[in-house]
Amino acid sequence: MQEMTILGTGSFVPEHILTNDDMTQYVDTSDEWIRTRTGIVNRHFQDNGSVLEMSVAASRQAIERSGIAKDQIGAVIVATFTSEYATPSIASLLQRELDLPANIISFDLNAACSGFIYALMAGAALLTEGRYALIVGAEAVSSVLDMSDRNTCVLFGDGAGACVIGKGHKALYQVAGCQGDDEVLVARRNDYLHMEGRQVFKFAVKTLERTLNDLVEQAGLSVEELDYVISHQANYRIIKHVYEKMKIPAEKFYMNLQEFGNTSAASIPLALAEMDQKGLLQNGMKIAMIGFGSGLTYGGVLLEWGK
Ligand code: UT7
């Protein structure tokens, strides 16, 4: 358990929207297949592939909403596997673009779709009194998509979400793990993303349920006491399977994959920022966020909302 509070959230999604019908230009698919198998209706593509641009926009918003001064930021972590740079890190470039202090620790982290959760945990461990951390999940998944592979190209989208965290009195419960695998979900350098959908599906439903149970047990809560669960937004059928099995009301599982598709490390912070902006998050609410994906990685955090 660590102590942490989220002070502000931000998000950015590219303007270029591709509908399910647009995807039929590339592959033999249909709006009906994509909607019923995944719940996805639209996705947004960052045509220049810049993870940095998206990260800058989401981070600016998060810092502004947090109410802290930029020179109080002591760490920047960007979760991504689709950076346009092998080096430097997007986090290092955020230092320049956002005019952050030079004495910060900055790095990118790749835990695929669990990346934002891993970054939150890492960021929480780096917090000191009066110094905050900027945590970003940002992806241009479109840059690694094979637009002739219907098994993958219809599923993913681009975007960025960010938050500013600080030390607080709120407990952060966390669960994480991985099982080394480079077959079921892999993008080698200079190659497209490949996925064995059914195998990932099985991993996802099992992991989501187990992680949720582990988190509430650690926090001494029951699942009924959770106000919201923000799952990685991969497929509404994964989420539905879990809330039905665990008998949790559907409305506690926030979903925005209809509009953005699977944005990998950006999916959870994008949902969090959207919920924050809609005023859904009230002080004292108990929120679980759970990611799963390539690695195969998984990670979950449970926190109480509010400063
Ligand atoms: O972010 C990391 C985590 N990723 C995930 O969690 C993804 C998990 N997996 C899934 O969400 C689902 O497995 C998919 C949405 C990827 C696929 O759904 P599925 O129900 O598992 O379909 P399937 O792969 O078993 O394919 C069923 C059929 C196949 O045709 P045949 O062999 O039955 O003739 C596929 O070729 O659907 C076909 N198919 C498509 N048809 C139309 C696959 N993709 C498409 C498509 N349009 N886009």
Side-chain angles (χ1 to χ4, degrees), residues 23 27-34 36-40 81 112-114 149-156 184-185 193 195-205 232-238 262-265 267 292-294 296:
M23 300 313 283
V27 285
D28 178 15
T29 190
S30 65
D31 176 50
E32 202 262 334
W33 191 97
I34 302 170
T36 54
R37 298 281 181 139
T38 71
I40 297 164
F81 80 100
C113 306
S114 313
D149 176 11
R150 69 178 183 174
N151 292 301
T152 51
C153 75
V154 303
L155 304 174
F156 295 91
V184 302
L185 185 41
L193 181 85
M195 181 169 75
E196 300 295 332
R198 278 190 198 179
Q199 289 188 52
V200 181
F201 193 97
K202 283 185 203 148
F203 169 76
V205 289
H232 168 47
Q233 306 284 302
N235 184 330
Y236 91 98
R237 286 193 296 134
I238 294 173
N262 179 345
T263 56
S264 188
S267 90
F292 46 83
S294 174
L296 290 165

Short mmCIF file of all heavy atoms in Angstrom, two decimals, residues 23 27-34 36-40 81 112-114 149-156 184-185 193 195-205 232-238 262-265 267 292-294 296, ligand 1:
data_model
loop_
_atom_site.label_atom_id
_atom_site.label_comp_id
_atom_site.label_asym_id
_atom_site.label_seq_id
_atom_site.Cartn_x
_atom_site.Cartn_y
_atom_site.Cartn_z
N MET A 23 -13.93 1.31 -42.04
CA MET A 23 -13.00 0.18 -41.98
C MET A 23 -13.26 -0.83 -43.11
O MET A 23 -12.37 -1.61 -43.45
CB MET A 23 -13.06 -0.52 -40.62
CG MET A 23 -12.72 0.35 -39.42
SD MET A 23 -11.22 1.35 -39.60
CE MET A 23 -9.94 0.12 -39.35
N VAL A 27 -10.69 -3.69 -45.11
CA VAL A 27 -10.78 -5.14 -44.92
C VAL A 27 -12.23 -5.62 -45.08
O VAL A 27 -13.16 -4.82 -45.05
CB VAL A 27 -10.29 -5.55 -43.49
CG1 VAL A 27 -8.78 -5.48 -43.39
CG2 VAL A 27 -10.96 -4.72 -42.40
N ASP A 28 -12.36 -6.93 -45.23
CA ASP A 28 -13.67 -7.55 -45.34
C ASP A 28 -14.28 -7.63 -43.94
O ASP A 28 -14.03 -8.58 -43.20
CB ASP A 28 -13.48 -8.96 -45.95
CG ASP A 28 -14.81 -9.69 -46.07
OD1 ASP A 28 -15.87 -9.03 -45.97
OD2 ASP A 28 -14.77 -10.92 -46.25
N THR A 29 -15.03 -6.62 -43.59
CA THR A 29 -15.66 -6.56 -42.26
C THR A 29 -16.99 -5.84 -42.38
O THR A 29 -17.39 -5.46 -43.48
CB THR A 29 -14.72 -5.86 -41.24
OG1 THR A 29 -15.24 -6.03 -39.94
CG2 THR A 29 -14.53 -4.39 -41.53
N SER A 30 -17.67 -5.64 -41.27
CA SER A 30 -18.94 -4.91 -41.31
C SER A 30 -19.16 -4.21 -39.98
O SER A 30 -18.61 -4.63 -38.95
CB SER A 30 -20.10 -5.89 -41.56
OG SER A 30 -20.21 -6.76 -40.45
N ASP A 31 -19.98 -3.18 -40.04
CA ASP A 31 -20.34 -2.46 -38.81
C ASP A 31 -20.96 -3.44 -37.83
O ASP A 31 -20.65 -3.43 -36.63
CB ASP A 31 -21.34 -1.34 -39.18
CG ASP A 31 -21.83 -0.61 -37.95
OD1 ASP A 31 -20.99 -0.19 -37.13
OD2 ASP A 31 -23.06 -0.45 -37.79
N GLU A 32 -21.80 -4.33 -38.34
CA GLU A 32 -22.50 -5.29 -37.48
C GLU A 32 -21.49 -6.21 -36.76
O GLU A 32 -21.60 -6.42 -35.55
CB GLU A 32 -23.46 -6.11 -38.37
CG GLU A 32 -24.61 -6.75 -37.60
CD GLU A 32 -24.33 -8.20 -37.29
OE1 GLU A 32 -23.54 -8.81 -38.04
OE2 GLU A 32 -24.87 -8.72 -36.28
N TRP A 33 -20.51 -6.74 -37.49
CA TRP A 33 -19.53 -7.65 -36.87
C TRP A 33 -18.76 -6.90 -35.77
O TRP A 33 -18.63 -7.40 -34.65
CB TRP A 33 -18.54 -8.20 -37.90
CG TRP A 33 -17.69 -9.34 -37.36
CD1 TRP A 33 -17.92 -10.66 -37.52
CD2 TRP A 33 -16.51 -9.23 -36.53
NE1 TRP A 33 -16.97 -11.40 -36.84
CE2 TRP A 33 -16.09 -10.56 -36.22
CE3 TRP A 33 -15.77 -8.17 -36.01
CZ2 TRP A 33 -14.97 -10.84 -35.44
CZ3 TRP A 33 -14.65 -8.47 -35.20
CH2 TRP A 33 -14.26 -9.78 -34.94
N ILE A 34 -18.30 -5.71 -36.09
CA ILE A 34 -17.46 -4.99 -35.12
C ILE A 34 -18.27 -4.61 -33.87
O ILE A 34 -17.83 -4.81 -32.74
CB ILE A 34 -16.81 -3.74 -35.75
CG1 ILE A 34 -15.96 -4.13 -36.98
CG2 ILE A 34 -15.92 -3.02 -34.74
CD1 ILE A 34 -15.48 -2.96 -37.82
N THR A 36 -21.11 -6.00 -32.67
CA THR A 36 -21.58 -7.11 -31.83
C THR A 36 -20.42 -7.86 -31.18
O THR A 36 -20.55 -8.37 -30.08
CB THR A 36 -22.46 -8.09 -32.62
OG1 THR A 36 -21.73 -8.52 -33.77
CG2 THR A 36 -23.77 -7.47 -33.03
N ARG A 37 -19.26 -7.95 -31.84
CA ARG A 37 -18.13 -8.69 -31.26
C ARG A 37 -17.29 -7.87 -30.30
O ARG A 37 -16.58 -8.43 -29.48
CB ARG A 37 -17.20 -9.20 -32.36
CG ARG A 37 -17.82 -10.15 -33.33
CD ARG A 37 -17.90 -11.55 -32.75
NE ARG A 37 -18.49 -12.45 -33.70
CZ ARG A 37 -18.07 -13.69 -33.92
NH1 ARG A 37 -17.06 -14.17 -33.24
NH2 ARG A 37 -18.67 -14.44 -34.81
N THR A 38 -17.36 -6.53 -30.43
CA THR A 38 -16.46 -5.70 -29.62
C THR A 38 -17.13 -4.53 -28.91
O THR A 38 -16.62 -4.06 -27.90
CB THR A 38 -15.32 -5.09 -30.49
OG1 THR A 38 -15.90 -4.07 -31.33
CG2 THR A 38 -14.64 -6.12 -31.36
N GLY A 39 -18.22 -4.01 -29.47
CA GLY A 39 -18.85 -2.80 -28.93
C GLY A 39 -18.28 -1.53 -29.53
O GLY A 39 -18.76 -0.42 -29.26
N ILE A 40 -17.25 -1.67 -30.37
CA ILE A 40 -16.60 -0.48 -30.94
C ILE A 40 -17.43 0.08 -32.10
O ILE A 40 -17.94 -0.66 -32.93
CB ILE A 40 -15.16 -0.82 -31.40
CG1 ILE A 40 -14.30 -1.26 -30.20
CG2 ILE A 40 -14.51 0.37 -32.13
CD1 ILE A 40 -13.01 -1.97 -30.58
N PHE A 81 3.82 2.08 -25.96
CA PHE A 81 4.66 1.15 -26.72
C PHE A 81 4.75 1.57 -28.18
O PHE A 81 5.28 0.86 -29.01
CB PHE A 81 4.16 -0.31 -26.60
CG PHE A 81 2.99 -0.67 -27.50
CD1 PHE A 81 3.20 -1.35 -28.69
CD2 PHE A 81 1.70 -0.34 -27.14
CE1 PHE A 81 2.13 -1.69 -29.53
CE2 PHE A 81 0.62 -0.66 -27.97
CZ PHE A 81 0.84 -1.34 -29.16
N ALA A 112 2.56 -2.25 -22.26
CA ALA A 112 1.44 -2.36 -23.21
C ALA A 112 0.16 -1.79 -22.58
O ALA A 112 0.18 -0.70 -22.02
CB ALA A 112 1.28 -3.80 -23.66
N CYS A 113 -0.93 -2.55 -22.63
CA CYS A 113 -2.22 -2.01 -22.18
C CYS A 113 -2.30 -1.89 -20.66
O CYS A 113 -3.25 -1.30 -20.15
CB CYS A 113 -3.36 -2.87 -22.71
SG CYS A 113 -3.29 -3.07 -24.49
N SER A 114 -1.33 -2.45 -19.94
CA SER A 114 -1.29 -2.26 -18.48
C SER A 114 -0.41 -1.07 -18.12
O SER A 114 -0.19 -0.78 -16.94
CB SER A 114 -0.71 -3.51 -17.79
OG SER A 114 -1.29 -4.68 -18.28
N ASP A 149 -5.24 -6.47 -42.07
CA ASP A 149 -5.51 -7.57 -41.14
C ASP A 149 -6.77 -7.26 -40.34
O ASP A 149 -6.74 -6.48 -39.39
CB ASP A 149 -4.30 -7.77 -40.21
CG ASP A 149 -4.55 -8.83 -39.15
OD1 ASP A 149 -5.56 -9.57 -39.26
OD2 ASP A 149 -3.73 -8.92 -38.21
N ARG A 150 -7.86 -7.91 -40.70
CA ARG A 150 -9.14 -7.58 -40.04
C ARG A 150 -9.18 -8.05 -38.58
O ARG A 150 -10.04 -7.62 -37.81
CB ARG A 150 -10.31 -8.15 -40.82
CG ARG A 150 -10.42 -9.67 -40.80
CD ARG A 150 -11.65 -10.11 -41.56
NE ARG A 150 -11.80 -11.56 -41.50
CZ ARG A 150 -12.84 -12.20 -41.98
NH1 ARG A 150 -13.81 -11.52 -42.59
NH2 ARG A 150 -12.94 -13.51 -41.88
N ASN A 151 -8.27 -8.96 -38.23
CA ASN A 151 -8.23 -9.43 -36.83
C ASN A 151 -7.74 -8.36 -35.87
O ASN A 151 -7.94 -8.47 -34.67
CB ASN A 151 -7.31 -10.65 -36.70
CG ASN A 151 -7.88 -11.85 -37.40
OD1 ASN A 151 -8.97 -12.30 -37.06
ND2 ASN A 151 -7.18 -12.34 -38.40
N THR A 152 -7.06 -7.36 -36.39
CA THR A 152 -6.52 -6.32 -35.50
C THR A 152 -6.94 -4.90 -35.88
O THR A 152 -7.23 -4.09 -35.00
CB THR A 152 -4.97 -6.36 -35.47
OG1 THR A 152 -4.49 -6.34 -36.82
CG2 THR A 152 -4.44 -7.59 -34.75
N CYS A 153 -6.96 -4.58 -37.19
CA CYS A 153 -7.05 -3.15 -37.54
C CYS A 153 -8.35 -2.49 -37.11
O CYS A 153 -8.38 -1.28 -36.90
CB CYS A 153 -6.78 -2.92 -39.03
SG CYS A 153 -8.13 -3.39 -40.11
N VAL A 154 -9.41 -3.27 -36.93
CA VAL A 154 -10.69 -2.65 -36.56
C VAL A 154 -10.79 -2.37 -35.05
O VAL A 154 -11.71 -1.71 -34.60
CB VAL A 154 -11.89 -3.55 -36.96
CG1 VAL A 154 -11.86 -3.85 -38.46
CG2 VAL A 154 -11.92 -4.86 -36.17
N LEU A 155 -9.84 -2.90 -34.30
CA LEU A 155 -9.98 -2.89 -32.84
C LEU A 155 -9.36 -1.68 -32.14
O LEU A 155 -9.78 -1.33 -31.05
CB LEU A 155 -9.32 -4.15 -32.24
CG LEU A 155 -9.81 -5.50 -32.76
CD1 LEU A 155 -8.96 -6.62 -32.18
CD2 LEU A 155 -11.27 -5.70 -32.41
N PHE A 156 -8.34 -1.10 -32.76
CA PHE A 156 -7.50 -0.15 -32.02
C PHE A 156 -7.70 1.30 -32.45
O PHE A 156 -8.19 1.59 -33.54
CB PHE A 156 -6.03 -0.53 -32.18
CG PHE A 156 -5.70 -1.87 -31.53
CD1 PHE A 156 -5.77 -3.05 -32.26
CD2 PHE A 156 -5.34 -1.93 -30.19
CE1 PHE A 156 -5.48 -4.28 -31.66
CE2 PHE A 156 -5.05 -3.14 -29.58
CZ PHE A 156 -5.12 -4.31 -30.32
N VAL A 184 1.07 -14.34 -28.22
CA VAL A 184 -0.35 -14.04 -28.40
C VAL A 184 -0.63 -12.57 -28.71
O VAL A 184 -1.66 -12.25 -29.30
CB VAL A 184 -1.22 -14.52 -27.21
CG1 VAL A 184 -1.07 -16.00 -26.98
CG2 VAL A 184 -0.94 -13.75 -25.95
N LEU A 185 0.27 -11.68 -28.31
CA LEU A 185 0.08 -10.26 -28.62
C LEU A 185 1.46 -9.62 -28.73
O LEU A 185 2.11 -9.38 -27.71
CB LEU A 185 -0.77 -9.60 -27.52
CG LEU A 185 -1.21 -8.15 -27.66
CD1 LEU A 185 -1.63 -7.79 -29.06
CD2 LEU A 185 -2.35 -7.86 -26.71
N LEU A 193 1.44 -5.18 -35.57
CA LEU A 193 0.91 -5.85 -34.38
C LEU A 193 0.19 -7.14 -34.79
O LEU A 193 -0.61 -7.13 -35.73
CB LEU A 193 -0.08 -4.89 -33.71
CG LEU A 193 -0.75 -5.35 -32.44
CD1 LEU A 193 0.15 -5.04 -31.25
CD2 LEU A 193 -2.08 -4.65 -32.26
N MET A 195 -2.09 -10.43 -33.14
CA MET A 195 -2.79 -10.84 -31.91
C MET A 195 -3.59 -12.11 -32.14
O MET A 195 -4.27 -12.26 -33.15
CB MET A 195 -3.74 -9.72 -31.45
CG MET A 195 -4.46 -10.07 -30.16
SD MET A 195 -5.34 -8.67 -29.41
CE MET A 195 -6.75 -8.55 -30.49
N GLU A 196 -3.47 -13.03 -31.18
CA GLU A 196 -4.34 -14.21 -31.15
C GLU A 196 -5.51 -13.83 -30.25
O GLU A 196 -5.46 -14.00 -29.03
CB GLU A 196 -3.60 -15.42 -30.56
CG GLU A 196 -2.35 -15.85 -31.32
CD GLU A 196 -2.68 -16.35 -32.72
OE1 GLU A 196 -3.79 -16.88 -32.92
OE2 GLU A 196 -1.83 -16.20 -33.61
N GLY A 197 -6.56 -13.28 -30.88
CA GLY A 197 -7.65 -12.66 -30.14
C GLY A 197 -8.28 -13.54 -29.08
O GLY A 197 -8.51 -13.12 -27.95
N ARG A 198 -8.57 -14.79 -29.45
CA ARG A 198 -9.29 -15.65 -28.49
C ARG A 198 -8.46 -15.94 -27.26
O ARG A 198 -8.98 -16.00 -26.15
CB ARG A 198 -9.66 -16.97 -29.15
CG ARG A 198 -10.92 -16.83 -29.96
CD ARG A 198 -11.42 -18.16 -30.41
NE ARG A 198 -12.35 -17.96 -31.51
CZ ARG A 198 -12.96 -18.94 -32.14
NH1 ARG A 198 -12.72 -20.19 -31.81
NH2 ARG A 198 -13.79 -18.67 -33.11
N GLN A 199 -7.17 -16.14 -27.46
CA GLN A 199 -6.30 -16.42 -26.30
C GLN A 199 -6.19 -15.21 -25.38
O GLN A 199 -6.20 -15.33 -24.15
CB GLN A 199 -4.91 -16.84 -26.77
CG GLN A 199 -4.91 -18.21 -27.42
CD GLN A 199 -3.50 -18.67 -27.70
OE1 GLN A 199 -2.66 -18.66 -26.82
NE2 GLN A 199 -3.24 -19.04 -28.93
N VAL A 200 -6.09 -14.03 -26.01
CA VAL A 200 -6.02 -12.81 -25.19
C VAL A 200 -7.34 -12.61 -24.45
O VAL A 200 -7.36 -12.21 -23.28
CB VAL A 200 -5.68 -11.57 -26.04
CG1 VAL A 200 -5.58 -10.33 -25.18
CG2 VAL A 200 -4.38 -11.78 -26.80
N PHE A 201 -8.43 -12.92 -25.13
CA PHE A 201 -9.76 -12.80 -24.51
C PHE A 201 -9.83 -13.63 -23.22
O PHE A 201 -10.26 -13.16 -22.17
CB PHE A 201 -10.84 -13.27 -25.50
CG PHE A 201 -12.23 -12.90 -25.10
CD1 PHE A 201 -12.86 -11.77 -25.62
CD2 PHE A 201 -12.94 -13.68 -24.20
CE1 PHE A 201 -14.15 -11.43 -25.25
CE2 PHE A 201 -14.24 -13.35 -23.82
CZ PHE A 201 -14.84 -12.22 -24.35
N LYS A 202 -9.38 -14.88 -23.33
CA LYS A 202 -9.43 -15.77 -22.15
C LYS A 202 -8.56 -15.22 -21.02
O LYS A 202 -8.96 -15.21 -19.86
CB LYS A 202 -8.92 -17.18 -22.53
CG LYS A 202 -9.94 -17.97 -23.30
CD LYS A 202 -9.43 -19.39 -23.52
CE LYS A 202 -10.12 -20.01 -24.72
NZ LYS A 202 -9.29 -20.96 -25.47
N PHE A 203 -7.37 -14.76 -21.36
CA PHE A 203 -6.47 -14.16 -20.36
C PHE A 203 -7.15 -12.95 -19.72
O PHE A 203 -7.12 -12.76 -18.49
CB PHE A 203 -5.15 -13.75 -21.02
CG PHE A 203 -4.26 -12.89 -20.17
CD1 PHE A 203 -3.53 -13.45 -19.13
CD2 PHE A 203 -4.16 -11.52 -20.40
CE1 PHE A 203 -2.71 -12.64 -18.34
CE2 PHE A 203 -3.36 -10.72 -19.61
CZ PHE A 203 -2.63 -11.29 -18.56
N ALA A 204 -7.79 -12.14 -20.55
CA ALA A 204 -8.38 -10.88 -20.07
C ALA A 204 -9.50 -11.12 -19.08
O ALA A 204 -9.52 -10.51 -18.00
CB ALA A 204 -8.89 -10.06 -21.27
N VAL A 205 -10.43 -12.02 -19.39
CA VAL A 205 -11.56 -12.21 -18.47
C VAL A 205 -11.10 -12.80 -17.14
O VAL A 205 -11.55 -12.38 -16.07
CB VAL A 205 -12.71 -13.07 -19.09
CG1 VAL A 205 -13.43 -12.30 -20.17
CG2 VAL A 205 -12.23 -14.39 -19.62
N HIS A 232 -9.43 -1.70 -18.61
CA HIS A 232 -8.85 -1.43 -19.93
C HIS A 232 -9.96 -1.64 -20.96
O HIS A 232 -10.69 -2.63 -20.92
CB HIS A 232 -7.67 -2.36 -20.18
CG HIS A 232 -7.20 -2.35 -21.59
ND1 HIS A 232 -6.99 -1.18 -22.29
CD2 HIS A 232 -6.92 -3.37 -22.45
CE1 HIS A 232 -6.59 -1.48 -23.52
NE2 HIS A 232 -6.55 -2.79 -23.64
N GLN A 233 -10.07 -0.69 -21.89
CA GLN A 233 -11.17 -0.70 -22.85
C GLN A 233 -10.79 -1.50 -24.10
O GLN A 233 -10.39 -0.93 -25.12
CB GLN A 233 -11.53 0.75 -23.24
CG GLN A 233 -11.82 1.66 -22.06
CD GLN A 233 -13.19 1.41 -21.47
OE1 GLN A 233 -14.20 1.51 -22.16
NE2 GLN A 233 -13.24 1.08 -20.19
N ALA A 234 -10.91 -2.82 -24.02
CA ALA A 234 -10.54 -3.65 -25.17
C ALA A 234 -11.76 -4.16 -25.91
O ALA A 234 -11.80 -4.15 -27.14
CB ALA A 234 -9.68 -4.82 -24.71
N ASN A 235 -12.76 -4.61 -25.13
CA ASN A 235 -13.91 -5.25 -25.77
C ASN A 235 -15.03 -5.27 -24.73
O ASN A 235 -14.81 -5.75 -23.62
CB ASN A 235 -13.51 -6.68 -26.17
CG ASN A 235 -14.59 -7.40 -26.93
OD1 ASN A 235 -15.78 -7.15 -26.73
ND2 ASN A 235 -14.19 -8.30 -27.80
N TYR A 236 -16.22 -4.80 -25.10
CA TYR A 236 -17.29 -4.76 -24.09
C TYR A 236 -17.66 -6.16 -23.63
O TYR A 236 -18.14 -6.36 -22.51
CB TYR A 236 -18.53 -4.01 -24.63
CG TYR A 236 -19.53 -4.90 -25.30
CD1 TYR A 236 -20.67 -5.36 -24.62
CD2 TYR A 236 -19.35 -5.32 -26.62
CE1 TYR A 236 -21.58 -6.20 -25.22
CE2 TYR A 236 -20.26 -6.15 -27.22
CZ TYR A 236 -21.37 -6.60 -26.52
OH TYR A 236 -22.26 -7.45 -27.13
N ARG A 237 -17.39 -7.19 -24.47
CA ARG A 237 -17.75 -8.56 -24.07
C ARG A 237 -16.86 -9.05 -22.92
O ARG A 237 -17.30 -9.84 -22.10
CB ARG A 237 -17.65 -9.52 -25.27
CG ARG A 237 -18.80 -9.34 -26.26
CD ARG A 237 -18.85 -10.50 -27.24
NE ARG A 237 -17.67 -10.55 -28.07
CZ ARG A 237 -16.96 -11.64 -28.34
NH1 ARG A 237 -17.30 -12.80 -27.84
NH2 ARG A 237 -15.91 -11.57 -29.11
N ILE A 238 -15.62 -8.58 -22.87
CA ILE A 238 -14.74 -8.93 -21.75
C ILE A 238 -15.32 -8.36 -20.47
O ILE A 238 -15.47 -9.03 -19.45
CB ILE A 238 -13.31 -8.38 -21.99
CG1 ILE A 238 -12.66 -9.06 -23.20
CG2 ILE A 238 -12.44 -8.51 -20.72
CD1 ILE A 238 -11.32 -8.45 -23.62
N ASN A 262 -9.75 0.34 -28.77
CA ASN A 262 -8.73 -0.03 -27.78
C ASN A 262 -7.51 0.88 -27.99
O ASN A 262 -6.81 0.77 -28.99
CB ASN A 262 -8.37 -1.51 -28.00
CG ASN A 262 -7.30 -2.00 -27.06
OD1 ASN A 262 -6.60 -1.23 -26.41
ND2 ASN A 262 -7.15 -3.31 -26.99
N THR A 263 -7.27 1.77 -27.04
CA THR A 263 -6.15 2.72 -27.16
C THR A 263 -4.98 2.30 -26.25
O THR A 263 -4.16 3.14 -25.87
CB THR A 263 -6.59 4.16 -26.82
OG1 THR A 263 -7.15 4.17 -25.51
CG2 THR A 263 -7.61 4.68 -27.81
N SER A 264 -4.93 1.03 -25.91
CA SER A 264 -3.81 0.47 -25.14
C SER A 264 -3.56 1.28 -23.86
O SER A 264 -4.50 1.49 -23.09
CB SER A 264 -2.57 0.36 -26.03
OG SER A 264 -1.56 -0.34 -25.36
N ALA A 265 -2.35 1.74 -23.64
CA ALA A 265 -2.03 2.42 -22.37
C ALA A 265 -2.83 3.70 -22.15
O ALA A 265 -2.89 4.21 -21.04
CB ALA A 265 -0.54 2.74 -22.31
N SER A 267 -6.10 3.95 -22.66
CA SER A 267 -7.54 3.72 -22.49
C SER A 267 -8.03 4.05 -21.08
O SER A 267 -9.07 4.68 -20.92
CB SER A 267 -7.91 2.29 -22.90
OG SER A 267 -7.84 1.37 -21.83
N PHE A 292 -4.77 -4.91 -18.69
CA PHE A 292 -4.25 -6.23 -19.06
C PHE A 292 -3.85 -6.15 -20.53
O PHE A 292 -4.44 -5.40 -21.29
CB PHE A 292 -5.34 -7.31 -18.87
CG PHE A 292 -6.69 -6.92 -19.42
CD1 PHE A 292 -6.98 -7.08 -20.77
CD2 PHE A 292 -7.64 -6.32 -18.61
CE1 PHE A 292 -8.21 -6.69 -21.29
CE2 PHE A 292 -8.88 -5.91 -19.12
CZ PHE A 292 -9.16 -6.11 -20.47
N GLY A 293 -2.83 -6.90 -20.89
CA GLY A 293 -2.43 -6.83 -22.30
C GLY A 293 -1.14 -7.56 -22.56
O GLY A 293 -0.73 -8.47 -21.80
N SER A 294 -0.48 -7.13 -23.64
CA SER A 294 0.73 -7.80 -24.10
C SER A 294 1.74 -7.92 -22.97
O SER A 294 1.86 -7.05 -22.11
CB SER A 294 1.31 -6.98 -25.26
OG SER A 294 2.55 -7.51 -25.64
N LEU A 296 2.52 -11.33 -21.19
CA LEU A 296 1.20 -10.78 -20.89
C LEU A 296 1.24 -10.10 -19.51
O LEU A 296 1.63 -10.72 -18.52
CB LEU A 296 0.14 -11.89 -20.85
CG LEU A 296 -0.17 -12.51 -22.21
CD1 LEU A 296 -0.91 -13.82 -22.05
CD2 LEU A 296 -0.97 -11.55 -23.07
O1 UT7 B 1 -5.46 -4.64 -25.59
C1 UT7 B 1 -5.00 -5.92 -25.31
C2 UT7 B 1 -6.08 -6.79 -24.97
N1 UT7 B 1 -6.75 -7.26 -26.17
C3 UT7 B 1 -7.89 -7.87 -26.04
O2 UT7 B 1 -8.38 -7.97 -24.94
C4 UT7 B 1 -8.54 -8.54 -27.25
C5 UT7 B 1 -9.24 -9.80 -26.80
N2 UT7 B 1 -9.90 -10.49 -27.88
C6 UT7 B 1 -11.08 -10.08 -28.40
O3 UT7 B 1 -11.58 -9.06 -28.01
C7 UT7 B 1 -11.75 -10.95 -29.41
O4 UT7 B 1 -11.14 -12.22 -29.42
C8 UT7 B 1 -11.74 -10.36 -30.86
C9 UT7 B 1 -12.68 -9.17 -30.93
C10 UT7 B 1 -10.33 -9.95 -31.23
C11 UT7 B 1 -12.23 -11.39 -31.85
O5 UT7 B 1 -13.53 -11.84 -31.50
P1 UT7 B 1 -13.83 -13.41 -31.48
O6 UT7 B 1 -15.26 -13.54 -31.15
O7 UT7 B 1 -12.83 -14.04 -30.57
O8 UT7 B 1 -13.60 -13.81 -32.99
P2 UT7 B 1 -12.58 -14.85 -33.61
O9 UT7 B 1 -11.20 -14.31 -33.57
O10 UT7 B 1 -12.80 -16.17 -32.99
O11 UT7 B 1 -13.07 -14.89 -35.11
C12 UT7 B 1 -14.37 -15.35 -35.45
C13 UT7 B 1 -14.57 -15.17 -36.94
C14 UT7 B 1 -13.42 -15.71 -37.78
O12 UT7 B 1 -13.96 -16.24 -38.98
P3 UT7 B 1 -14.18 -17.83 -39.14
O13 UT7 B 1 -12.81 -18.42 -38.96
O14 UT7 B 1 -15.12 -18.20 -38.06
O15 UT7 B 1 -14.72 -17.94 -40.53
C15 UT7 B 1 -12.62 -14.48 -38.11
O16 UT7 B 1 -11.89 -14.60 -39.32
O17 UT7 B 1 -14.64 -13.75 -37.24
C16 UT7 B 1 -13.71 -13.44 -38.28
N3 UT7 B 1 -13.26 -12.09 -38.10
C17 UT7 B 1 -13.88 -11.03 -38.65
N4 UT7 B 1 -14.99 -10.94 -39.43
C18 UT7 B 1 -15.37 -9.71 -39.79
C19 UT7 B 1 -12.17 -11.65 -37.40
N5 UT7 B 1 -12.11 -10.31 -37.47
C20 UT7 B 1 -13.15 -9.91 -38.24
C21 UT7 B 1 -13.59 -8.64 -38.68
N6 UT7 B 1 -14.71 -8.60 -39.45
N7 UT7 B 1 -12.98 -7.49 -38.33
#
